[in-house]
Amino acid sequence: MTNQEIADLLRSVAAAYSMKGLNRFQIIAYEGAADGIEHATSDVTDLWKHEGKEGLKQIPGIGEGIAVHLDELFRTGQVAHFEDVLKDYPEGLFSLLKVPGVGPKTALKLVELGVDDLRGLKNAIQDRSIEGKVTDKLLMKLREGLEEYQKRSDRMLLPMAEELADIIVGYLTKAPFIRKADPLGSLRRKVSTIGDIDIAVASDDIKKVKAHLLDLPILGKILEEGETTLTLVLKNGIRVDIMVQPLTSYGALIQHFTGSKHHNIKLRSYANKRGFSLSEHGIKEIKSKTLLPVEDEGKIYELLGMQVPPPEIREDTGEIEAAIDQKLPVLVALGDIKGDVHTHTTWSDGHNSVSEMAEKAKNLGYKYMAITDHSYPNLDFSKRIKQIEQYNDSENGIRVIIGLEVNITASCGLQVSDRVLSEHEFILASIHSSFRQDKETITKRLVYALEHPLVNGIAHPTGRILLERSGYEADWEKVFEACLKYDKFLEINSFPDRMDLPDILVREAVGKGVKLVVNTDSHHLEHMTLMKYGVGVARRGWTTKKSILNALDLPEFVKEAHVRLRK
Ligand SMILES: [Zn+2]
Ligand SMILES: [Zn+2]
């Protein structure tokens, strides 16, 4: 079960309790646990597998009672108590409760009218079949709620959010009365998909900030203004919240709104123990009641005797404890990457030639790269190899590794013969078809490829396409084991809709000692600068340079990744 499915189940139980008029504290407990699971960065099912019932209590909001139920859920596939509570209500009713403004009573009424899930509600409003059956007032509320719900679930890929934030920050900081501006929240933590954009602004005069924003070229309109906040909607419909504070408390502002929520909760309770309280205005010494405004965010952690956790890992998954112990890892940085070893050219589905891609890689400062076109069966492999060799022979200051990205077939094979594979220096294997096979079969395919002596590693290991499809299911434990056994790597693919391995699996892989590479999977010159997003995923997975093979210089990379140089 995914975290979201578990959270949804707990929310359904909470809703059923409330419809039955049961104890309010129970309801709050279930909602709190659902919250915690939704925001958890580790997979709850895996956590249970490794650490059992006790491990579940690491998730904020899960206490003994709920841990017992979840333990039963994972062991038997259901919870007798939940079944008992939920049996009186149709299943779809609980999905209706996700719509803002729809409470249990309204949901029940809708079910009686034959609207039994979210899609049903959407249709009933669209084809107006619900009109006349509910009051006009309720109809309006449903329409607004549905719109709000859809907006809320509208997320965008990180690069799009970054691009918009860059435009806004660049525009803001041109004004003399704006001293600083920075993105906040999940954007600053480099989460792969982003909802709203939040931006901090250091300025003494919010009125001037507002007036300045009116000329922002991508502005739709300013929706709301508060004492310290402005809410905008951009021309493309995306919401942006601007938080304004004077420069003297700017550090507190960005710390507060970088989050995550769970990071801040734990940090605040730690601060309290040390006699401080935290807010977006600064850090207050509780005894003397003096508020110390903080200009530089690092100062807050420093005052608490901690290292500053990089924003990417502020998820309350151990970073606060590590920062207190002065044991935060030094995370891999973009500048550590020495070569991009997954790129495509016009030999397969890429837009640029071998030399164009190589020149671009050189301009980005790489000393080596691999060109890994798809293994199209009708490709003239020898001609392609010869062309790359010729490029290398003319000594252009970058070594192009002659690679291939080979499909792992549905029936556990590789798309081209071993003879063809062996003529190449470097083979990435990946799954591009039959994603819907069961977990066992997918695992077998991945392990088969890892075991294959000519395969160097697996590209985009989960096959997920963000905002489109979740990855295929695999037994990652077994995949990691195979990586270690055969000394193969897994890729972190930087392509914006992939970001694959996902950060949670990255952390597990790194913890087990699995080696990784970070690549762009470029199909165009312009894609080659996407590397930073893969590095962001690596950082969110607590990865140091040591785990990343393409942070090595060429000779070491060749050795550690088992590249078979032809000459
Ligand atoms: Zn691929
Ligand atoms: Zn590719």
Side-chain angles (χ1 to χ4, degrees):
M1 265 177 118
T2 66
N3 284 9
Q4 191 58 54
E5 286 164 343
I6 301 167
D8 287 347
L9 176 64
L10 295 178
R11 278 193 208 292
S12 301
V13 175
Y17 274 179
S18 107
M19 284 184 276
K20 288 176 187 286
L22 292 179
N23 185 321
R24 199 166 60 86
F25 293 105
Q26 289 269 31
I27 300 168
I28 293 172
Y30 275 89
E31 281 171 348
D35 247 340
I37 290 171
E38 258 170 2
H39 292 101
T41 47
S42 42
D43 187 79
V44 175
T45 313
D46 277 348
L47 196 63
W48 172 81
K49 256 185 229 151
H50 296 151
E51 303 183 49
K53 193 191 84 188
E54 288 307 305
L56 296 173
K57 294 186 197 164
Q58 291 167 32
I59 307 273
I62 298 189
E64 175 67 18
I66 290 176
V68 167
H69 288 318
L70 290 182
D71 184 59
E72 186 186 345
L73 175 69
F74 295 134
R75 273 186 297 109
T76 68
Q78 56 175 355
V79 182
H81 173 62
F82 291 4
E83 302 292 312
D84 193 48
V85 177
L86 297 173
K87 71 173 191 304
D88 301 326
Y89 306 100
E91 216 179 291
L93 181 143
F94 297 105
S95 74
L96 292 169
L97 291 172
K98 292 181 186 170
V99 178
V102 173
K105 259 193 212 150
T106 311
L108 271 176
K109 178 165 185 174
L110 288 169
V111 172
E112 280 163 21
L113 291 171
V115 175
D116 41 25
D117 60 17
L118 267 178
R119 260 188 86 228
L121 178 61
K122 230 180 277 175
N123 291 338
I125 288 179
Q126 230 155 41
D127 66 26
R128 316 180 114 204
S129 61
I130 199 173
E131 280 176 31
K133 293 181 188 164
V134 297
T135 62
D136 286 354
K137 200 175 144 202
L138 178 57
L139 183 61
M140 186 138 92
K141 209 161 108 184
L142 290 172
R143 219 180 251 139
E144 282 171 4
L146 206 54
E147 217 169 274
E148 175 70 29
Y149 172 76
Q150 278 164 338
K151 230 186 266 162
R152 233 190 253 173
S153 50
D154 266 352
R155 299 185 70 80
M156 63 191 129
L157 297 173
L158 175 64
M160 180 186 178
E162 268 199 9
E163 202 179 297
L164 293 168
D166 282 350
I167 294 172
I168 300 166
V169 165
Y171 176 80
L172 284 168
T173 46
K174 271 194 298 196
F177 47 86
I178 293 176
R179 310 284 299 275
K180 276 183 184 171
D182 287 283
L184 298 166
S186 48
L187 188 48
R188 185 158 180 242
R189 300 200 311 280
K190 311 286 182 201
V191 179
S192 300
T193 63
I194 307 289
D196 292 347
I197 295 175
D198 298 328
I199 292 175
V201 169
S203 176
D204 295 321
D205 193 340
I206 192 170
K207 291 266 174 290
K208 277 191 186 167
V209 175
K210 184 187 170 193
H212 180 58
L213 275 169
L214 286 173
D215 291 326
L216 172 71
I218 57 172
L219 179 76
K221 63 176 175 183
I222 296 185
L223 288 179
E224 280 168 45
E225 58 174 309
E227 252 170 70
T228 57
T229 58
L230 296 163
T231 302
L232 330 174
V233 59
L234 302 179
K235 280 184 179 147
N236 58 11
I238 287 165
R239 275 171 69 111
V240 181
D241 286 318
I242 308 264
M243 329 265 180
V244 185
Q245 296 242 344
L247 187 62
T248 45
S249 54
Y250 186 71
L253 176 71
I254 67 172
Q255 195 290 321
H256 186 83
F257 287 107
T258 294
S260 66
K261 188 168 122 198
H262 292 296
H263 174 87
N264 281 355
I265 289 172
K266 186 166 278 178
L267 187 70
R268 262 178 256 147
S269 93
Y270 179 68
N272 285 345
K273 274 188 221 141
R274 302 201 33 141
F276 293 103
S277 77
L278 302 179
S279 73
E280 68 261 51
H281 304 289
I283 179 164
K284 193 195 264 174
E285 206 190 10
I286 296 170
K287 230 194 212 156
S288 65
K289 292 187 179 158
T290 36
L291 177 80
L292 193 70
V294 180
E295 183 179 333
D296 167 24
E297 174 191 58
K299 190 79 184 289
I300 294 172
Y301 294 96
E302 205 181 286
L303 275 169
L304 296 174
M306 306 165 61
Q307 291 176 297
V308 185
E312 293 95 330
I313 62 169
R314 293 187 197 168
E315 301 286 353
D316 186 21
T317 56
E319 76 283 2
I320 290 182
E321 294 80 354
I324 292 169
D325 295 343
Q326 312 290 317
K327 280 188 180 144
L328 280 177
V330 179
L331 303 180
V332 64
L334 180 60
D336 293 328
I337 303 297
K338 302 261 168 66
D340 186 344
V341 293
H342 184 171
T343 64
H344 296 261
T345 70
T346 44
W347 281 103
S348 61
D349 55 349
H351 288 267
N352 296 92
S353 68
V354 167
S355 61
E356 283 171 333
M357 294 299 275
E359 289 303 306
K360 177 74 184 181
K362 197 168 70 180
N363 290 337
L364 289 170
Y366 297 141
K367 294 284 182 281
Y368 61 94
M369 73 179 303
I371 290 183
T372 52
D373 283 299
H374 293 289
S375 55
Y376 293 159
N378 58 353
L379 200 149
D380 189 339
F381 294 104
S382 339
K383 199 170 162 195
R384 176 176 172 274
I385 291 171
K386 214 166 272 161
Q387 193 194 79
I388 301 177
E389 274 182 335
Q390 272 166 7
Y391 180 84
N392 281 332
D393 285 344
S394 50
E395 298 198 12
N396 300 288
I398 182 161
R399 174 60 159 87
V400 179
I401 295 168
I402 307 167
L404 208 59
E405 179 180 6
V406 63
N407 283 349
I408 306 169
T409 62
S411 51
C412 249
L414 297 178
Q415 198 188 13
V416 291
S417 71
D418 284 2
R419 191 188 55 76
V420 170
L421 294 180
S422 69
E423 283 166 6
H424 292 80
E425 298 177 320
F426 181 72
I427 305 294
L428 295 175
S430 49
I431 292 183
H432 288 113
S433 60
S434 307
F435 308 108
R436 298 206 153 273
Q437 287 177 327
D438 60 52
K439 188 167 172 177
E440 205 189 332
T441 313
I442 295 277
T443 308
K444 240 193 235 160
R445 287 167 80 186
L446 293 170
V447 171
Y448 169 82
L450 289 165
E451 208 174 68
H452 194 291
L454 294 167
V455 169
N456 300 74
I458 304 275
H460 45 76
T462 77
R464 74 170 177 180
I465 299 294
L466 289 167
L467 308 181
E468 253 174 63
R469 62 161 197 250
S470 46
Y472 33 77
E473 278 200 82
D475 183 338
W476 295 105
E477 203 70 24
K478 279 202 180 130
V479 174
F480 297 156
E481 266 165 39
C483 288
L484 295 175
K485 182 167 173 197
Y486 304 109
D487 198 19
K488 304 292 169 77
F489 61 75
L490 295 178
E491 175 185 72
I492 298 176
N493 189 296
S494 312
F495 216 78
D497 62 0
R498 287 197 184 270
M499 304 280 233
D500 181 9
L501 278 185
D503 47 20
I504 295 168
L505 286 174
V506 168
R507 186 150 179 208
E508 280 178 38
V510 167
K512 295 225 151 57
V514 173
K515 296 289 189 235
L516 304 172
V517 296
V518 188
N519 293 322
T520 62
D521 198 356
S522 290
H523 286 67
H524 194 288
L525 284 182
E526 284 171 13
H527 296 158
M528 294 196 72
T529 52
L530 296 170
M531 186 65 87
K532 61 177 176 177
Y533 296 110
V535 172
V537 174
R539 289 171 64 83
R540 286 183 55 77
W542 290 55
T543 311
T544 66
K545 193 171 131 174
K546 268 204 324 243
S547 298
I548 306 284
L549 292 179
N550 55 332
L552 294 167
D553 287 319
L554 180 62
E556 288 76 37
F557 176 75
V558 166
K559 189 166 160 259
E560 297 294 322
H562 309 295
V563 180
R564 301 171 294 276
L565 291 188
R566 286 165 66 96
K567 58 178 168 191

